Coordinates of all heavy atoms in Angstrom, one line a residue:
M338 N 0.9 -1.1 0.0 CA 0.1 0.0 0.1 C 0.9 1.2 0.0 O 1.8 1.4 0.9 CB -0.9 -0.1 1.3 CG -1.9 1.0 1.3 SD -2.9 1.1 2.6 CE -3.1 -0.5 3.3
S339 N 0.8 2.0 -1.0 CA 1.6 3.2 -1.2 C 1.0 4.3 -0.2 O 0.0 4.5 0.0 CB 1.6 3.7 -2.6 OG 0.4 4.1 -3.1
R340 N 2.0 5.3 0.0 CA 1.6 6.4 0.9 C 1.2 7.6 0.1 O 1.9 8.6 0.0 CB 2.8 6.8 1.7 CG 3.0 5.7 2.8 CD 4.1 6.2 3.8 NE 4.2 5.5 4.9 CZ 5.2 4.6 5.3 NH1 6.2 4.5 4.4 NH2 5.1 3.9 6.3
V341 N 0.1 7.5 -0.8 CA -0.4 8.4 -1.6 C -1.8 8.8 -1.3 O -2.7 7.8 -1.2 CB -0.2 8.1 -3.1 CG1 -0.9 9.1 -4.0 CG2 1.2 7.7 -3.4
C342 N -2.2 10.1 -1.2 CA -3.7 10.4 -1.0 C -4.4 10.1 -2.3 O -4.0 10.5 -3.4 CB -3.7 11.9 -0.7 SG -5.4 12.6 -0.5
E343 N -5.6 9.5 -2.1 CA -6.4 9.2 -3.4 C -7.2 10.4 -4.0 O -7.8 10.3 -5.0 CB -7.3 8.0 -2.9 CG -6.6 6.8 -2.5 CD -7.5 5.6 -2.2 OE1 -8.7 5.6 -2.5 OE2 -7.0 4.7 -1.5
V344 N -7.2 11.4 -3.2 CA -7.8 12.7 -3.7 C -6.9 13.7 -4.3 O -6.9 14.1 -5.4 CB -8.8 13.2 -2.6 CG1 -9.3 14.6 -3.0 CG2 -9.9 12.3 -2.3
T345 N -5.9 14.2 -3.5 CA -5.0 15.2 -3.8 C -3.7 14.7 -4.5 O -3.1 15.4 -5.2 CB -4.6 15.9 -2.5 OG1 -4.0 15.1 -1.7 CG2 -5.8 16.5 -2.0
G346 N -3.4 13.4 -4.4 CA -2.3 12.7 -5.0 C -1.1 13.1 -4.3 O 0.2 12.8 -4.9
K347 N -1.1 13.8 -3.1 CA 0.1 14.0 -2.3 C 0.9 12.7 -1.9 O 0.3 11.8 -1.6 CB -0.2 14.8 -1.0 CG -0.6 16.2 -1.3 CD -0.8 16.9 0.1 CE -1.2 18.4 -0.2 NZ -1.1 19.1 0.9
K348 N 2.1 12.8 -2.0 CA 3.0 11.6 -1.6 C 4.2 12.1 -0.8 O 4.5 13.3 -0.8 CB 3.3 10.8 -2.9 CG 3.9 11.6 -4.1 CD 4.1 10.7 -5.3 CE 4.1 11.6 -6.5 NZ 4.1 10.8 -7.6
P349 N 5.0 11.1 -0.4 CA 6.2 11.5 0.4 C 7.2 12.3 -0.5 O 7.4 12.1 -1.6 CB 6.9 10.2 0.8 CG 5.7 9.3 0.7 CD 4.8 9.6 -0.4
V350 N 7.8 13.3 0.1 CA 8.9 14.1 -0.4 C 10.1 13.9 0.4 O 10.1 13.5 1.6 CB 8.5 15.5 -0.5 CG1 7.4 15.9 -1.4 CG2 8.2 16.1 0.8
S351 N 11.3 14.1 -0.1 CA 12.5 13.7 0.5 C 13.4 15.1 0.4 O 13.2 16.0 -0.4 CB 13.3 12.6 -0.2 OG 13.6 13.1 -1.5
G352 N 14.3 15.1 1.4 CA 15.3 16.2 1.4 C 16.3 16.0 2.5 O 16.6 14.8 2.8
N353 N 17.1 16.9 2.9 CA 18.1 16.8 4.0 C 17.6 17.3 5.3 O 16.9 18.2 5.4 CB 19.3 17.6 3.5 CG 20.0 17.1 2.3 OD1 20.2 15.8 2.2 ND2 20.5 17.9 1.4
K354 N 18.0 16.4 6.3 CA 17.9 16.7 7.6 C 19.3 17.5 7.9 O 20.4 16.9 7.7 CB 17.8 15.6 8.5 CG 17.7 16.0 10.0 CD 17.2 14.8 10.9 CE 18.2 13.6 10.9 NZ 17.9 12.6 11.7
V355 N 19.2 18.8 8.4 CA 20.5 19.6 8.6 C 20.7 19.8 10.2 O 19.8 20.4 10.7 CB 20.5 20.8 7.9 CG1 21.8 21.6 8.2 CG2 20.2 20.7 6.4
S356 N 21.7 19.2 10.7 CA 22.0 19.4 12.1 C 22.6 20.8 12.5 O 22.8 21.6 11.5 CB 23.0 18.3 12.5 OG 24.2 18.6 12.0
H357 N 22.7 21.1 13.6 CA 23.3 22.4 14.1 C 24.7 22.5 13.6 O 25.2 23.6 13.3 CB 23.3 22.5 15.7 CG 23.7 23.7 16.2 ND1 23.0 25.0 16.0 CD2 24.9 24.0 16.9 CE1 23.8 25.9 16.6 NE2 24.8 25.4 17.1
A358 N 25.4 21.3 13.4 CA 26.8 21.3 12.9 C 26.8 21.3 11.4 O 27.9 21.2 10.9 CB 27.6 20.2 13.5
N359 N 25.6 21.5 10.7 CA 25.5 21.6 9.3 C 25.8 20.2 8.6 O 26.1 20.2 7.5 CB 26.2 22.7 8.7 CG 25.7 23.3 7.5 OD1 24.6 23.1 7.3 ND2 26.5 23.7 6.6
N360 N 25.6 19.1 9.5 CA 25.7 17.8 8.7 C 24.4 17.5 8.0 O 23.3 17.8 8.6 CB 26.0 16.7 9.9 CG 27.3 16.9 10.6 OD1 28.2 17.4 10.1 ND2 27.4 16.5 11.9
K361 N 24.5 16.8 6.9 CA 23.3 16.7 6.1 C 23.0 15.2 5.9 O 24.0 14.5 5.6 CB 23.4 17.5 4.8 CG 23.6 18.8 4.9 CD 23.8 19.5 3.6 CE 24.0 21.0 3.8 NZ 25.3 21.4 4.4
T362 N 21.9 14.7 6.3 CA 21.5 13.3 6.0 C 20.1 13.3 5.4 O 19.3 14.2 5.7 CB 21.6 12.5 7.5 OG1 20.7 13.1 8.3 CG2 22.8 12.4 8.0
R363 N 19.9 12.2 4.7 CA 18.6 12.2 3.9 C 17.5 11.9 4.9 O 17.7 11.1 5.9 CB 18.6 11.2 2.7 CG 19.7 11.5 1.7 CD 19.4 12.8 1.1 NE 18.5 12.7 0.0 CZ 18.1 13.8 -0.7 NH1 18.7 15.0 -0.5 NH2 17.1 13.6 -1.5
R364 N 16.3 12.4 4.5 CA 15.1 12.1 5.3 C 13.8 12.3 4.4 O 14.0 12.7 3.3 CB 14.9 13.0 6.5 CG 14.7 14.5 6.2 CD 14.1 15.2 7.3 NE 12.7 14.9 7.4 CZ 11.9 15.3 8.4 NH1 12.3 16.2 9.1 NH2 10.6 14.9 8.4
R365 N 12.6 11.8 4.9 CA 11.5 11.8 4.2 C 10.4 12.6 5.0 O 10.3 12.4 6.2 CB 11.0 10.5 3.8 CG 11.9 9.7 2.8 CD 11.3 8.2 2.6 NE 10.1 8.3 2.0 CZ 9.3 7.2 1.8 NH1 9.6 6.1 2.2 NH2 8.2 7.3 1.2
W366 N 9.6 13.3 4.3 CA 8.3 13.9 5.0 C 7.2 13.1 4.4 O 7.0 13.0 3.1 CB 8.2 15.3 4.6 CG 9.1 16.2 5.4 CD1 9.0 16.8 6.6 CD2 10.4 16.7 4.8 NE1 10.1 17.5 6.9 CE2 11.1 17.5 5.9 CE3 11.3 16.3 3.7 CZ2 12.3 18.0 5.8 CZ3 12.5 16.9 3.7 CH2 13.0 17.7 4.6
L367 N 6.4 12.5 5.3 CA 5.2 11.7 4.9 C 4.0 12.5 5.0 O 3.8 13.3 5.9 CB 5.2 10.5 5.7 CG 6.3 9.6 5.8 CD1 6.1 8.5 6.7 CD2 6.7 9.0 4.4
P368 N 3.0 12.3 4.1 CA 1.7 13.0 4.1 C 0.9 12.5 5.3 O 1.1 11.3 5.8 CB 1.0 12.7 2.8 CG 1.8 11.4 2.4 CD 3.1 11.3 2.9
N369 N -0.1 13.3 5.8 CA -0.9 13.0 6.9 C -2.0 12.1 6.5 O -3.1 12.6 6.3 CB -1.4 14.4 7.6 CG -2.2 14.0 8.8 OD1 -2.1 13.0 9.3 ND2 -2.9 15.1 9.2
L370 N -1.7 10.9 6.2 CA -2.8 10.0 5.7 C -3.7 9.4 6.8 O -3.2 9.1 7.8 CB -2.2 8.8 5.0 CG -1.6 9.2 3.6 CD1 -0.9 7.9 3.0 CD2 -2.6 9.6 2.6
Q371 N -5.0 9.4 6.5 CA -6.0 8.8 7.4 C -6.8 7.9 6.7 O -7.1 8.1 5.5 CB -6.9 9.9 8.0 CG -6.0 11.1 8.5 CD -5.5 10.8 9.8 OE1 -5.9 10.0 10.6 NE2 -4.2 11.3 10.1
I372 N -7.3 6.8 7.2 CA -8.2 6.0 6.6 C -9.7 6.4 7.0 O -10.1 6.4 8.2 CB -8.0 4.5 7.0 CG1 -6.7 4.1 6.6 CG2 -9.1 3.7 6.4 CD1 -6.3 2.7 7.0
C373 N -10.4 6.8 6.1 CA -11.8 7.4 6.3 C -12.8 6.7 5.6 O -12.7 6.1 4.5 CB -11.8 8.8 5.8 SG -10.8 9.9 6.7
S374 N -14.0 6.6 6.4 CA -15.2 5.9 5.8 C -16.2 7.1 5.5 O -16.5 7.8 6.3 CB -15.8 4.9 6.8 OG -15.0 3.9 6.9
F375 N -16.7 7.1 4.2 CA -17.7 8.1 3.9 C -19.1 7.5 3.5 O -18.9 6.5 2.8 CB -17.2 8.9 2.7 CG -16.1 9.8 2.9 CD1 -14.8 9.5 2.5 CD2 -16.2 11.1 3.6 CE1 -13.7 10.3 2.8 CE2 -15.2 11.9 3.9 CZ -13.8 11.5 3.4
P376 N -20.1 7.8 4.1 CA -21.4 7.2 3.7 C -21.8 7.5 2.2 O -21.8 8.8 1.9 CB -22.4 7.8 4.6 CG -21.9 8.9 5.1 CD -20.3 8.9 5.0
S377 N -22.0 6.5 1.4 CA -22.4 6.7 0.0 C -23.9 6.6 -0.1 O -24.4 5.4 0.1 CB -21.7 5.9 -0.9 OG -22.2 5.9 -2.3
D378 N -24.7 7.5 -0.6 CA -26.1 7.4 -0.7 C -26.3 6.6 -1.9 O -27.4 5.8 -2.0 CB -26.7 8.8 -0.9 CG -26.7 9.7 0.3 OD1 -26.6 9.0 1.4 OD2 -26.6 10.8 0.2
I379 N -25.6 6.6 -3.1 CA -25.8 5.9 -4.2 C -25.5 4.4 -4.0 O -26.4 3.6 -4.4 CB -24.9 6.3 -5.5 CG1 -25.2 7.9 -5.7 CG2 -25.1 5.5 -6.6 CD1 -24.3 8.5 -6.7
L380 N -24.6 4.1 -3.4 CA -24.2 2.7 -3.1 C -24.9 2.1 -1.9 O -25.0 0.9 -1.8 CB -22.7 2.5 -3.0 CG -21.8 2.8 -4.2 CD1 -20.3 2.7 -3.7 CD2 -22.0 1.9 -5.3
G381 N -25.4 2.8 -1.1 CA -26.0 2.4 0.1 C -25.1 1.8 1.2 O -25.5 1.0 2.0
K382 N -23.8 2.2 1.1 CA -22.9 1.6 2.1 C -21.7 2.6 2.4 O -21.7 3.6 1.6 CB -22.3 0.3 1.7 CG -21.5 0.2 0.4 CD -21.0 -1.1 0.1 CE -20.0 -1.0 -1.2 NZ -19.4 -2.4 -1.4
A383 N -20.9 2.3 3.2 CA -19.8 3.1 3.5 C -18.6 2.9 2.6 O -18.3 1.8 2.2 CB -19.2 3.1 5.0
V384 N -18.0 4.0 2.2 CA -16.8 3.8 1.2 C -15.5 4.1 2.0 O -15.4 5.3 2.6 CB -17.0 4.8 0.0 CG1 -15.7 4.7 -1.0 CG2 -18.2 4.4 -0.8
R385 N -14.6 3.2 2.0 CA -13.3 3.6 2.8 C -12.2 4.0 1.7 O -12.0 3.4 0.8 CB -12.7 2.4 3.4 CG -13.7 1.9 4.7 CD -13.2 0.8 5.4 NE -11.9 1.1 5.9 CZ -10.9 0.1 6.4 NH1 -11.4 -1.1 6.4 NH2 -9.9 0.6 6.9
L386 N -11.5 5.2 2.0 CA -10.5 5.7 1.3 C -9.4 6.1 2.2 O -9.6 6.4 3.4 CB -10.9 6.9 0.5 CG -11.9 6.7 -0.7 CD1 -12.3 7.9 -1.2 CD2 -11.3 5.9 -1.7
R387 N -8.2 6.2 1.7 CA -7.0 6.6 2.4 C -6.6 8.1 1.9 O -6.2 8.2 0.8 CB -5.8 5.7 2.1 CG -4.7 5.7 3.1 CD -3.8 4.5 3.0 NE -2.9 4.6 4.1 CZ -1.6 4.2 3.9 NH1 -1.3 3.6 2.8 NH2 -0.8 4.3 4.8
L388 N -6.9 9.0 2.7 CA -6.7 10.5 2.3 C -6.0 11.2 3.3 O -5.9 10.8 4.4 CB -8.3 11.0 2.4 CG -9.3 10.4 1.5 CD1 -10.6 11.2 1.6 CD2 -8.9 10.3 -0.1
T389 N -5.4 12.3 2.9 CA -4.7 13.3 3.7 C -5.9 14.1 4.4 O -7.1 14.1 4.1 CB -4.0 14.2 2.9 OG1 -4.6 14.9 1.9 CG2 -2.7 13.4 2.3
A390 N -5.5 14.9 5.4 CA -6.4 15.7 6.1 C -7.0 16.7 5.0 O -8.2 17.1 5.1 CB -5.7 16.5 7.2
R391 N -6.2 17.3 4.2 CA -6.7 18.2 3.1 C -7.6 17.5 2.1 O -8.7 18.1 1.8 CB -5.5 18.7 2.2 CG -5.9 19.6 1.2 CD -6.6 20.8 1.5 NE -5.8 21.7 2.3 CZ -6.2 22.9 2.7 NH1 -7.5 23.3 2.4 NH2 -5.5 23.6 3.5
G392 N -7.4 16.2 1.9 CA -8.3 15.5 1.0 C -9.7 15.3 1.7 O -10.7 15.3 0.8
I393 N -9.7 15.0 2.9 CA -10.9 15.0 3.6 C -11.8 16.1 3.6 O -13.0 16.1 3.3 CB -10.7 14.5 5.1 CG1 -10.1 13.1 5.2 CG2 -11.9 14.4 5.9 CD1 -9.4 12.8 6.5
R394 N -11.1 17.2 3.8 CA -11.7 18.6 3.7 C -12.4 18.9 2.3 O -13.4 19.5 2.2 CB -10.8 19.7 4.1 CG -10.5 19.7 5.6 CD -9.5 20.8 6.1 NE -10.3 22.1 5.8 CZ -9.6 23.2 5.9 NH1 -8.4 23.4 6.1 NH2 -10.4 24.3 5.6
T395 N -11.5 18.4 1.3 CA -11.9 18.6 0.0 C -13.3 17.9 -0.3 O -14.2 18.4 -0.9 CB -10.8 18.1 -1.0 OG1 -9.7 19.0 -0.7 CG2 -11.2 18.4 -2.5
V396 N -13.3 16.6 0.1 CA -14.5 15.8 -0.1 C -15.7 16.3 0.5 O -16.7 16.4 0.0 CB -14.2 14.3 0.2 CG1 -15.5 13.5 0.3 CG2 -13.2 13.6 -0.6
E397 N -15.5 16.8 1.8 CA -16.5 17.4 2.5 C -17.0 18.8 1.9 O -18.3 19.0 1.8 CB -16.2 17.7 4.0 CG -16.0 16.4 4.8 CD -17.3 15.6 5.0 OE1 -18.3 16.2 5.1 OE2 -17.1 14.3 4.9
H398 N -16.1 19.5 1.4 CA -16.5 20.7 0.7 C -17.3 20.6 -0.6 O -18.2 21.4 -0.9 CB -15.2 21.5 0.4 CG -15.4 22.8 -0.3 ND1 -15.9 24.0 0.4 CD2 -15.2 23.3 -1.5 CE1 -15.9 24.9 -0.5 NE2 -15.6 24.5 -1.7
K399 N -17.0 19.5 -1.2 CA -17.6 19.3 -2.5 C -19.1 18.6 -2.3 O -19.8 18.3 -3.3 CB -16.9 18.2 -3.4 CG -15.5 18.7 -3.8 CD -15.6 19.9 -4.8 CE -14.3 20.3 -5.2 NZ -14.2 21.3 -6.4
G400 N -19.3 18.2 -1.1 CA -20.8 17.8 -0.8 C -20.9 16.3 -0.6 O -21.9 15.6 -0.7
G401 N -19.7 15.7 -0.1 CA -19.8 14.2 0.1 C -19.0 13.5 -0.9 O -18.5 13.9 -2.0
I402 N -18.9 12.1 -0.7 CA -18.1 11.3 -1.6 C -18.7 11.1 -2.9 O -18.1 11.0 -4.0 CB -17.7 10.0 -0.9 CG1 -16.7 9.2 -1.7 CG2 -19.0 9.1 -0.7 CD1 -15.4 9.9 -1.6
D403 N -20.1 11.0 -2.9 CA -20.9 10.8 -4.1 C -20.7 11.9 -5.1 O -20.4 11.8 -6.3 CB -22.3 10.7 -3.9 CG -22.7 9.4 -3.1 OD1 -22.0 8.4 -3.2 OD2 -23.7 9.3 -2.4
A404 N -20.8 13.2 -4.6 CA -20.7 14.5 -5.4 C -19.3 14.6 -5.8 O -19.0 15.0 -7.0 CB -21.2 15.6 -4.5
F405 N -18.4 14.2 -5.1 CA -16.9 14.5 -5.4 C -16.5 13.5 -6.4 O -15.9 14.0 -7.4 CB -16.0 14.3 -4.1 CG -14.6 14.3 -4.5 CD1 -13.9 15.5 -4.7 CD2 -13.9 13.1 -4.7 CE1 -12.6 15.6 -5.1 CE2 -12.5 13.2 -5.1 CZ -11.9 14.4 -5.3
I406 N -16.8 12.2 -6.4 CA -16.4 11.2 -7.3 C -17.0 11.4 -8.6 O -16.4 11.3 -9.7 CB -16.5 9.8 -6.7 CG1 -15.4 9.6 -5.7 CG2 -16.5 8.8 -7.8 CD1 -15.5 8.3 -5.0
M407 N -18.4 11.7 -8.5 CA -19.2 11.8 -9.7 C -18.8 13.2 -10.5 O -18.9 13.2 -11.8 CB -20.7 11.6 -9.6 CG -21.1 10.4 -9.0 SD -20.5 9.0 -10.0 CE -21.9 8.9 -11.2
G408 N -18.4 14.2 -9.8 CA -18.1 15.4 -10.4 C -16.6 15.6 -10.9 O -16.4 16.4 -11.6
A409 N -15.8 14.7 -10.5 CA -14.4 14.8 -10.8 C -14.1 14.2 -12.3 O -14.8 13.2 -12.6 CB -13.4 14.1 -9.7
R410 N -13.0 14.7 -12.9 CA -12.7 14.1 -14.1 C -12.0 12.8 -13.9 O -11.3 12.5 -12.8 CB -11.7 15.0 -14.8 CG -12.3 16.2 -15.5 CD -11.4 17.0 -16.2 NE -10.7 17.8 -15.3 CZ -9.5 18.4 -15.4 NH1 -8.9 18.3 -16.5 NH2 -9.1 19.3 -14.5
K411 N -12.2 11.9 -14.7 CA -11.7 10.5 -14.6 C -10.2 10.3 -14.5 O -9.5 9.6 -13.7 CB -12.2 9.5 -15.7 CG -13.6 9.2 -15.6 CD -14.1 8.1 -16.6 CE -15.6 7.8 -16.4 NZ -16.0 6.8 -17.4
S412 N -9.5 11.3 -15.2 CA -8.0 11.3 -15.2 C -7.6 11.8 -13.9 O -6.4 11.5 -13.6 CB -7.6 12.3 -16.3 OG -8.1 13.5 -16.1
R413 N -8.3 12.5 -13.1 CA -7.8 13.0 -11.8 C -8.0 12.0 -10.6 O -7.5 12.3 -9.6 CB -8.6 14.3 -11.4 CG -8.4 15.5 -12.3 CD -7.2 16.3 -12.2 NE -6.9 16.5 -10.8 CZ -6.6 17.6 -10.2 NH1 -6.6 18.6 -11.0 NH2 -6.3 17.8 -9.0
L414 N -8.9 11.0 -10.9 CA -9.1 10.0 -9.8 C -8.1 8.9 -9.8 O -7.4 8.4 -10.7 CB -10.6 9.4 -10.0 CG -11.6 10.4 -9.9 CD1 -13.0 9.7 -10.3 CD2 -11.8 11.0 -8.5
S415 N -7.9 8.4 -8.6 CA -7.0 7.2 -8.4 C -7.7 5.9 -8.8 O -8.9 5.9 -9.1 CB -6.6 7.0 -6.9 OG -7.8 6.7 -6.2
D416 N -6.9 4.9 -9.0 CA -7.6 3.6 -9.3 C -8.7 3.1 -8.4 O -9.8 2.7 -8.9 CB -6.5 2.4 -9.4 CG -5.4 2.7 -10.4 OD1 -5.8 3.4 -11.4 OD2 -4.3 2.2 -10.4
E417 N -8.5 3.3 -7.2 CA -9.6 2.9 -6.2 C -10.8 3.8 -6.4 O -12.0 3.3 -6.3 CB -9.1 3.0 -4.7 CG -9.9 2.5 -3.8 CD -10.2 1.0 -3.9 OE1 -9.2 0.3 -4.2 OE2 -11.3 0.4 -3.5
A418 N -10.6 5.1 -6.5 CA -11.7 6.0 -6.8 C -12.4 5.6 -8.0 O -13.7 5.8 -8.1 CB -11.3 7.5 -6.7
L419 N -11.7 5.2 -9.2 CA -12.3 4.9 -10.4 C -13.2 3.6 -10.2 O -14.2 3.5 -10.8 CB -11.2 4.7 -11.4 CG -10.6 5.8 -12.0 CD1 -9.5 5.6 -13.0 CD2 -11.7 6.7 -12.8
K420 N -12.7 2.6 -9.5 CA -13.6 1.4 -9.1 C -14.9 1.9 -8.4 O -16.0 1.4 -8.8 CB -12.8 0.5 -8.3 CG -11.8 -0.2 -9.0 CD -11.0 -1.1 -8.0 CE -9.8 -1.7 -8.6 NZ -8.9 -2.5 -7.6
I421 N -14.9 2.8 -7.4 CA -15.9 3.3 -6.8 C -16.9 4.0 -7.7 O -18.2 3.8 -7.6 CB -15.5 4.2 -5.7 CG1 -14.9 3.4 -4.6 CG2 -16.8 4.8 -5.0 CD1 -14.1 4.2 -3.5
R422 N -16.4 4.9 -8.6 CA -17.1 5.6 -9.6 C -17.9 4.5 -10.6 O -19.1 4.8 -10.8 CB -16.3 6.5 -10.4 CG -17.0 7.3 -11.5 CD -16.3 8.3 -12.0 NE -17.0 9.0 -13.0 CZ -16.9 10.2 -13.3 NH1 -16.1 11.0 -12.7 NH2 -17.5 10.8 -14.5
K423 N -17.2 3.6 -10.9 CA -17.8 2.5 -11.8 C -18.9 1.9 -11.2 O -20.0 1.6 -11.8 CB -16.7 1.5 -12.3 CG -17.2 0.6 -13.4 CD -16.1 -0.3 -13.9 CE -16.5 -1.1 -15.0 NZ -15.3 -2.0 -15.5
A424 N -18.8 1.5 -9.9 CA -19.8 0.9 -9.2 C -21.0 1.9 -9.0 O -22.2 1.4 -9.2 CB -19.3 0.5 -7.8
M425 N -20.8 3.1 -8.7 CA -21.8 4.1 -8.6 C -22.6 4.3 -9.9 O -23.8 4.3 -9.9 CB -21.2 5.5 -8.2 CG -20.8 5.5 -6.7 SD -20.2 7.2 -6.4 CE -19.7 7.0 -4.7
E426 N -21.9 4.3 -11.0 CA -22.5 4.5 -12.4 C -23.4 3.3 -12.6 O -24.5 3.4 -13.2 CB -21.5 4.6 -13.4 CG -20.8 6.0 -13.4 CD -19.7 6.1 -14.4 OE1 -19.1 5.1 -14.9 OE2 -19.2 7.2 -14.5
K427 N -22.9 2.1 -12.3 CA -23.7 0.8 -12.6 C -25.0 0.9 -11.7 O -26.0 0.5 -12.3 CB -22.8 -0.4 -12.1 CG -23.4 -1.7 -12.5 CD -22.4 -2.9 -12.2 CE -23.1 -4.2 -12.6 NZ -22.1 -5.3 -12.1
V428 N -24.9 1.3 -10.3 CA -26.0 1.2 -9.5 C -27.1 2.3 -10.0 O -28.4 2.0 -10.1 CB -25.7 1.6 -8.0 CG1 -26.9 1.8 -7.3 CG2 -24.9 0.3 -7.6
S429 N -26.5 3.5 -10.4 CA -27.5 4.6 -10.9 C -28.2 4.2 -12.2 O -29.3 4.6 -12.5 CB -26.8 5.9 -10.9 OG -25.7 5.9 -11.8
E430 N -27.3 3.4 -13.1 CA -28.0 3.0 -14.3 C -29.1 1.9 -14.0 O -30.0 2.1 -14.8 CB -26.8 2.4 -15.1 CG -27.0 2.1 -16.5 CD -25.8 1.6 -17.3 OE1 -24.9 2.5 -17.7 OE2 -25.8 0.4 -17.5
Q431 N -28.9 1.1 -13.1 CA -29.9 0.2 -12.9 C -31.1 0.7 -12.1 O -32.2 0.3 -12.5 CB -29.4 -0.9 -11.8 CG -28.4 -1.9 -12.4 CD -27.7 -2.8 -11.4 OE1 -27.9 -2.6 -10.2 NE2 -27.0 -3.8 -11.8
K432 N -30.9 1.8 -11.5 CA -32.0 2.5 -10.8 C -32.9 3.1 -11.8 O -34.1 3.3 -11.8 CB -31.7 3.5 -9.7 CG -31.2 2.8 -8.4 CD -30.9 3.9 -7.4 CE -30.3 3.1 -6.1 NZ -29.9 4.1 -5.1
S433 N -32.2 3.8 -12.8 CA -32.9 4.5 -13.9 C -33.7 3.6 -14.9 O -34.7 4.0 -15.5 CB -32.0 5.4 -14.7 OG -31.0 4.8 -15.3
A434 N -33.2 2.4 -15.0 CA -33.8 1.5 -16.1 C -35.0 0.7 -15.5 O -35.4 0.8 -14.5 CB -32.7 0.5 -16.6

């Protein structure tokens, strides 16, 4: 499981840790990833995603997981989000037919 936010795409960055004596050693800054469950009205169950704190705020700002995933471009979504979108489209297609 990679350390990448499924909404924002943030991933670890690397750089130097610099001591008081100006010694430089490599280090990594990891994103603030949280495993969140969002209730989906279309699917009728909770959807679990691994998001950063900023990603959680983005989903909530857009009006929930259903509105965010259905409103986003497919090229901007992660593989997991694309699977969820495909399932949402299938369910909404069955409801309309």
Side-chain angles (χ1 to χ4, degrees):
M338 187 178 333
S339 62
R340 291 184 165 111
V341 178
C342 177
E343 296 180 19
V344 170
T345 61
K347 287 188 179 187
K348 49 188 159 182
V350 293
S351 62
N353 287 323
K354 177 169 62 172
V355 181
S356 69
H357 183 70
N359 209 24
N360 297 329
K361 295 169 185 73
T362 55
R363 298 302 283 180
R364 64 158 292 179
R365 291 175 68 187
W366 286 272
L367 301 177
N369 182 15
L370 288 177
Q371 310 290 325
I372 297 174
C373 289
S374 293
F375 294 100
S377 172
D378 295 331
I379 296 173
L380 296 176
K382 63 178 184 176
V384 176
R385 289 183 66 192
L386 292 172
R387 200 163 181 217
L388 307 176
T389 57
R391 172 62 63 180
I393 295 168
R394 291 182 62 189
T395 301
V396 170
E397 293 297 324
H398 178 74
K399 298 289 184 177
I402 195 70
D403 296 333
F405 174 78
I406 288 183
M407 297 306 276
R410 285 182 275 165
K411 289 185 179 179
S412 61
R413 300 278 315 231
L414 295 174
S415 66
D416 293 337
E417 188 65 31
L419 283 173
K420 288 178 190 175
I421 295 168
R422 181 177 175 142
K423 190 173 181 180
M425 286 180 180
E426 289 171 346
K427 187 176 179 180
V428 168
S429 60
E430 195 175 281
Q431 289 174 350
K432 284 183 181 178
S433 64

